[in-house]
Amino acid sequence: MSPAPLVSIVVPVHNDEGTIEAALASCLAQTLREIEVVCVDDASDDGTVAVIERMQRTDSRIRLVRHEENRSALQARRSGVMEARGDAILFLDGDDELESRAAEVTLAAMQGSGADLVQFDVTVVDRHGNSGGAFERRLAPQHDSLRGSAVVTGLFPADAPARGQLWRFLFRTTLLRAAHAHLREDVSLVRVNDLPLMFLAAALAQHLVSVPEKLYRYHLGRGGSGHQVDTIERARFYAAAIDSVDIIRDAVASVAAASGDATAVHDAYAAARLWTVGYVCRQLVERADPSIVDSAVEHLRTKTTDDDLLAAAGAHSPGSLAVLARHVDHQPITNREVRSILLVTSTLRTGGVTAVLSTQARMLTEAGFRVTVVARNSNSDPSFLPSGVEFVELAGGGIEARLEAWRAICLTRSVDVVIDHQMLYSSYWPEFAAMTRACGGATVGWLHNFVARPLLDGDDRLGNIEKFARVLAHVVALSPLDVSYLKLRGITHSSYIPNPPSAMLDGERRAPRERPTGLHPINLVWWGRLEERTKRVSELLEVAVLLQRRHTAFSLTVIGPDWGGWTAAKFNALARRRGVAEVVRAVGPKRGRELEAAIDTADAFLSTSLIEGYQLTIAEAQSRGLPVFMYELPWLTLVQENAGIASVPQGDAAGLADAITAVAADPVLFARLSRGSLDAAERAGSYDFSDLYRRVVTGAPTGAFSPEPTLEDARLLLGLLRFYSEANRSQTKTVTPRRELAARMWRRVAPLGGVGLQRLPGLRPLVARLKRRIGVAD
């Protein structure tokens, strides 16, 4: 009669005909002779059993237990554990092998330490026979010894993969049987079926030791792991991994209650579940065939909540966030105490977005919120921000590195709400909004231009807003017509808020201006960025030429920084070429008192913008009593019922020249426009912006700020969308094939170039000249 085994090797098998002989041979070759091999056949329908029975006839240490029906590897291992006669158990899958000293080395470690769990190193062999990769390194023991609750938290740490492989350990048999006592005998798991038993064993264990030897050969890809997800059936197979962790939820609660550290057990379980869901997201979203991704995600959503999916993806599969953001249900800002707010932009610099963001930062800080401003790119000027507001520049690198940095910001600052000011100017906002929600926060998207802007630019960002709007708690636009478009397209969680007044709107009511009589020239002023694509600064020169032809006495001062290839020097050179240099001059940027003084010496404001979201310069000009001459921008709240504006159809430079000539010759008309401007400026500054911003971050503006669309809105929108689509085509025709190719190549290398410029900022002037040559705008 053979001696009682010291170690039982449990081998669950199912259709392993081609590999089981090598697996059993590795067991029989153990240097420790006092072993038994308990093979549990889980209803194989190939020649697996025949191979086992043949080898059993040559070595009585092999035992065979058979299941009449397939019950999953979890139950096959249970049968093996219950049949085992040894005091300790090793597990071996039917397509792997043990090293010859595995039983001897691990048993000696257990007997020498009194541990109930011994971990060892493994060799991972890929399909090409190679070993030593990253997965193998991750499986190596991380702790020499652990005791008490440190066993489960050490084996299942937070923010790390949950390694549930049973074949990396020698277990005391009593430990495994105690773990199985918490699992139902009828449970069948098709995926990740070792993790439930591994977790419960770790939670029950009191002492773990490790040995450094590689004692197991794992063949990656032979079983159910490592295969392409190319069918919905395989997607469901991978998604079943979530069942494997959910099935032990009650068991974990029971074990935690009886342990000395319930919190540690629950935290470890939460970490294991988070990783498992994240792993499934990675398989079904990042690595699946694109044709099944949407169906796979919808199936995945039946397994757990949207918030669980986003939290898991945020921690372990950031590449999944964009797709998940397309599928999640809308979640408004409700039932949450808001304390910490992030305001996000690309770069803090001269311009309307920075002005609005700075005002928001001041008002929200004054309202008692903790406000942090984040710039996603470098070269910001934080001096625009009010005191008491923190500023963070997001780390460089690729999108995943930025998302990791974003996650750290959201978690360390306990962010409740993010206001993203870059929705119309960034392609990556959905991932950041999804990551924010993954960290327990909510995102408000802020549109700083009319919704037709992407049609003019020829990009897909308007489609992105529609596609990903559900991941946003709310969408804020600048006009009722924007809200009408959003609601007509199904984005009902939207409202509008006009831009806040600038410092020029100081609340002081000024007297209307009077037009000097006689031949005194009308002094026109324009200020903003010297930008052609949307502000059409070249049209200022066209209007000037037409005024000169009409013999209208005038001057035009152009104020603002160089932008996108346009400089003050270039503008003035064009003025000379067109014969208006004596009355038209670009003077560069001015700020604060210097800008106000320049405006106060003017008689009227001239605008040739093709598209704007709010155009704060109109309100600033009207606050000083200046009449405004402009191309029609009918959605702007500023221009509606505004008696201080003379507007003409887009591109009608002659119409602008005629309007200016008429007003210059009519002091009564000039005075009426000036009074209208002052009235309009007073209305523009009359909103309670502090209250509006508070409502944005704690709920959503409703009522008048979230109007329902009308048939007239739809008619106007259709006309404007057509106009800007045609404007884009007109602009595209002027681009030569060579410049178009150069621009396309530029956009491909721009992300790497941005990283390079952070290291070599001296190259920026050269890069700016190159961008101007190939026509790439900022």
Side-chain angles (χ1 to χ4, degrees):
M1 187 174 182
S2 59
L6 298 175
V7 174
S8 296
I9 304 173
V10 173
V11 187
V13 293
H14 177 72
N15 291 347
D16 292 314
E17 180 181 6
T19 57
I20 188 59
E21 184 171 0
L24 295 182
S26 75
C27 296
L28 300 178
Q30 291 297 302
T31 55
L32 179 72
R33 302 300 298 169
E34 294 86 355
I35 66 163
E36 66 171 351
V37 185
V38 182
C39 295
V40 184
D41 176 63
D42 198 28
S44 296
D45 55 17
D46 65 353
T48 300
V49 170
V51 174
I52 296 171
E53 289 176 337
R54 174 171 54 80
M55 297 185 73
Q56 190 179 27
R57 288 193 290 270
T58 64
D59 196 319
S60 61
R61 293 179 298 172
I62 298 176
R63 300 168 58 199
L64 177 61
V65 178
R66 300 187 66 175
H67 289 173
E68 294 300 321
E69 59 183 18
N70 187 270
R71 295 163 55 192
S72 83
L74 174 68
Q75 294 304 332
R77 293 191 183 98
R78 174 194 281 271
S79 296
V81 169
M82 299 310 168
E83 287 286 335
R85 294 181 296 161
D87 290 336
I89 292 177
L90 286 169
F91 288 103
L92 173 66
D93 284 354
D95 53 0
D96 296 331
E97 298 96 32
L98 284 168
E99 299 295 345
S100 60
R101 298 182 67 246
E104 178 184 353
V105 170
T106 56
L107 182 62
M110 178 173 282
Q111 292 174 337
S113 64
D116 43 14
L117 196 56
V118 178
Q119 187 178 5
F120 47 89
D121 206 352
V122 302
T123 300
V124 176
V125 183
D126 66 18
R127 292 186 180 91
H128 306 291
N130 301 317
S131 62
F135 182 49
E136 179 177 304
R137 291 191 293 274
R138 290 196 294 269
L139 290 177
Q142 303 297 312
H143 309 279
D144 293 333
S145 177
L146 295 170
R147 290 184 179 275
S149 62
V151 176
V152 70
T153 56
L155 294 180
F156 295 93
D159 287 334
R163 305 296 181 195
Q165 298 86 353
L166 293 159
W167 35 257
R168 297 186 298 148
F169 299 88
L170 175 74
F171 299 84
R172 285 200 185 275
T173 303
T174 53
L175 176 65
L176 288 174
R177 288 176 178 167
H180 270 296
H182 289 277
L183 289 167
R184 298 198 323 265
E185 292 188 36
D186 61 345
V187 172
S188 177
L189 300 174
V190 300
R191 192 81 183 101
V192 191
N193 47 60
D194 48 1
L195 190 144
L197 182 60
M198 184 68 243
F199 186 88
L200 291 173
L204 291 165
Q206 293 302 306
H207 187 194
L208 171 143
V209 296
S210 296
V211 295
E213 287 92 340
K214 291 182 180 292
L215 301 175
Y216 191 98
R217 288 177 65 81
Y218 170 67
H219 293 276
L220 182 65
R222 277 188 180 176
S225 301
H227 295 291
Q228 183 182 6
V229 183
D230 53 4
T231 66
I232 190 61
E233 289 74 20
R234 186 162 287 279
R236 291 192 180 103
F237 170 73
Y238 271 98
I242 299 174
D243 298 333
S244 297
V245 287
D246 285 350
I247 204 73
I248 62 170
R249 192 187 304 271
D250 291 343
V252 169
S254 177
V255 170
S259 73
D261 192 346
T263 299
V265 176
H266 283 297
D267 288 348
Y269 174 71
R273 188 181 187 281
L274 190 75
W275 181 86
T276 302
V277 176
Y279 165 78
V280 173
C281 288
R282 189 164 60 250
Q283 298 300 318
L284 301 192
V285 178
E286 296 187 62
R287 299 178 182 175
D289 188 292
S291 65
I292 69 156
V293 165
D294 286 341
S295 297
V297 171
E298 284 306 309
H299 174 69
L300 185 55
R301 293 180 71 215
T302 68
K303 296 287 184 182
T304 189
T305 66
D306 287 344
D307 286 348
D308 276 354
L309 287 176
L310 291 171
H316 299 293
S317 180
S320 306
L321 288 172
V323 173
L324 294 177
R326 223 170 47 222
H327 289 263
V328 297
D329 290 331
H330 169 243
Q331 187 178 83
I333 303 174
T334 53
N335 301 322
R336 95 170 50 224
E337 183 180 1
V338 177
R339 289 170 294 188
S340 178
I341 298 171
L342 291 188
L343 306 181
V344 189
T345 187
S346 172
T347 309
L348 290 175
R349 55 188 178 184
T350 301
V353 174
T354 294
V356 173
L357 184 146
S358 299
T359 301
Q360 285 180 356
R362 174 177 59 79
M363 290 183 174
L364 290 170
T365 300
E366 290 172 352
F369 298 104
R370 176 189 178 188
V371 177
T372 304
V373 171
V374 179
R376 290 201 182 107
N377 295 323
S378 57
N379 298 322
S380 285
D381 182 359
S383 67
F384 289 108
L385 298 178
S387 60
V389 174
E390 297 179 78
F391 174 71
V392 176
E393 200 166 77
L394 201 62
I399 181 62
E400 289 213 10
R402 286 170 171 259
L403 284 171
E404 287 295 331
W406 183 257
R407 180 171 184 263
I409 291 171
C410 290
L411 292 177
T412 57
R413 294 172 185 268
S414 301
V415 172
D416 300 302
V417 175
V418 170
I419 298 180
D420 193 328
H421 289 274
Q422 287 296 301
M423 277 184 63
L424 278 177
Y425 312 118
S426 166
S427 299
Y428 296 120
W429 66 264
E431 288 96 319
F432 285 92
M435 181 64 87
T436 301
R437 188 160 156 184
C439 298
T443 298
V444 174
W446 207 284
L447 305 184
H448 278 276
N449 213 308
F450 183 47
V451 290
R453 174 65 186 269
L455 293 180
L456 177 64
D457 293 342
D459 59 46
D460 61 355
R461 289 173 185 172
L462 188 56
N464 271 356
I465 291 171
E466 296 183 17
K467 189 186 303 182
F468 295 105
R470 287 190 295 183
V471 78
L472 298 169
H474 200 70
V475 180
V476 175
L478 295 176
S479 80
L481 198 61
D482 289 298
V483 175
S484 291
Y485 175 86
L486 295 170
K487 289 192 172 184
L488 286 169
R489 298 299 297 164
I491 306 173
T492 57
H493 51 291
S494 55
S495 58
Y496 83 94
I497 295 179
N499 272 351
S502 72
M504 291 189 198
L505 276 70
D506 52 17
E508 178 185 347
R509 176 73 186 200
R510 292 172 170 79
R513 290 174 179 254
E514 296 183 0
R515 172 80 178 104
T517 57
L519 298 177
H520 190 282
I522 184 169
N523 297 318
L524 304 171
V525 66
W526 178 96
W527 67 97
R529 300 189 304 266
L530 291 182
E531 191 260 334
E532 175 65 14
R533 185 172 181 82
T534 62
K535 297 189 180 299
R536 290 290 200 260
V537 290
S538 64
E539 289 280 302
L540 296 171
L541 294 171
E542 183 66 23
V543 174
V545 170
L546 292 169
L547 284 171
Q548 204 169 54
R549 289 176 184 173
R550 286 160 174 71
H551 306 291
T552 301
F554 78 98
S555 68
L556 171 61
T557 302
V558 175
I559 302 170
D562 302 342
W563 205 270
W566 275 79
T567 65
K570 176 180 177 178
F571 184 92
N572 290 332
L574 287 173
R576 288 192 296 273
R577 204 172 305 158
R578 305 208 59 184
V580 292
E582 291 185 4
V583 288
V584 178
R585 187 167 68 99
V587 297
K590 294 180 183 293
R591 292 184 183 176
R593 297 286 187 186
E594 188 181 18
L595 175 59
E596 291 181 24
I599 294 171
D600 286 337
T601 60
D603 299 311
F605 175 67
L606 173 62
S607 172
T608 52
S609 286
L610 176 64
I611 194 169
E612 294 278 0
Y614 187 76
Q615 200 170 1
L616 189 61
T617 51
I618 293 176
E620 291 174 336
Q622 294 196 301
S623 73
R624 323 300 282 195
L626 299 186
V628 174
F629 301 96
M630 63 180 290
Y631 289 149
E632 290 175 349
L633 300 174
W635 62 88
L636 293 183
T637 55
L638 279 170
V639 307
Q640 293 161 10
E641 300 181 7
N642 191 325
I645 291 177
S647 62
V648 300
Q650 277 287 332
D652 185 5
L656 276 182
D658 289 341
I660 294 169
T661 298
V663 172
D666 188 341
V668 175
L669 177 57
F670 181 94
R672 185 164 68 241
L673 285 171
S674 180
R675 284 194 300 273
S677 283
L678 292 169
D679 291 341
E682 192 170 4
R683 286 196 305 273
S686 65
Y687 296 100
D688 186 345
F689 287 97
S690 293
D691 179 65
L692 286 174
Y693 293 154
R694 182 189 58 77
R695 289 162 64 184
V696 165
V697 299
T698 58
T702 56
F705 293 97
S706 187
E708 295 304 315
T710 66
L711 186 60
E712 176 60 22
D713 292 339
R715 185 196 66 78
L716 183 56
L717 280 166
L718 285 172
L720 289 167
L721 295 176
R722 176 191 56 78
F723 172 80
Y724 286 110
S725 179
E726 291 174 352
N728 168 260
R729 287 201 298 274
S730 176
Q731 290 179 344
T732 303
K733 289 178 182 178
T734 64
V735 180
T736 65
R738 180 177 297 178
R739 291 183 72 187
E740 185 177 4
L741 176 61
R744 192 182 309 126
M745 293 177 63
W746 178 273
R747 284 190 286 271
R748 288 183 178 178
V749 303
L752 291 176
V755 175
L757 287 178
Q758 290 181 7
R759 298 178 179 176
L760 300 170
L763 295 177
R764 292 187 184 279
L766 176 63
V767 171
R769 287 197 297 273
L770 179 60
K771 288 172 70 176
R772 287 195 294 272
R773 288 191 62 183
I774 65 178
V776 178
D778 285 343

